Amino acid sequence: MFFGDEVSTYVEGLLRENDDIEQIEKFFNFFEWMATQTSLYIVQVLFTTILYNLGRHTDILKKVI
């Protein structure tokens, strides 16, 4: 719940404002680490929280590409 509610919302805000590149990079380095783990649970948390929420906001994704 925390990851989906708090972290996802915080990262979404960072991406919308696009003013703290260092913090954004830290989060995405962590997300990349999550995506490469052998634990299915860790990968599922990433997909069902961060990626799911960002996937609904194509306007944000277009800004960060």
Side-chain angles (χ1 to χ4, degrees):
M1 292 293 291
F2 172 78
F3 220 77
D5 292 341
E6 300 300 323
V7 175
S8 182
T9 302
Y10 183 75
V11 169
E12 180 184 328
L14 280 176
L15 293 172
R16 281 191 189 282
E17 296 167 12
N18 202 22
D19 63 346
D20 192 348
I21 301 302
E22 184 178 334
Q23 188 69 25
I24 292 170
E25 287 178 354
K26 286 180 183 180
F27 272 109
F28 276 86
N29 286 336
F30 178 65
F31 299 154
E32 183 176 351
W33 173 85
M34 290 178 73
T36 62
Q37 296 308 294
T38 57
S39 169
L40 185 58
Y41 178 75
I42 293 173
V43 175
Q44 285 177 335
V45 168
L46 175 66
F47 289 153
T48 59
T49 58
I50 304 299
L51 298 179
Y52 175 78
N53 289 335
L54 288 178
R56 296 181 306 151
H57 301 286
T58 56
D59 58 319
I60 296 173
L61 294 176
K62 288 177 184 174
K63 288 171 67 174
V64 298
I65 292 179

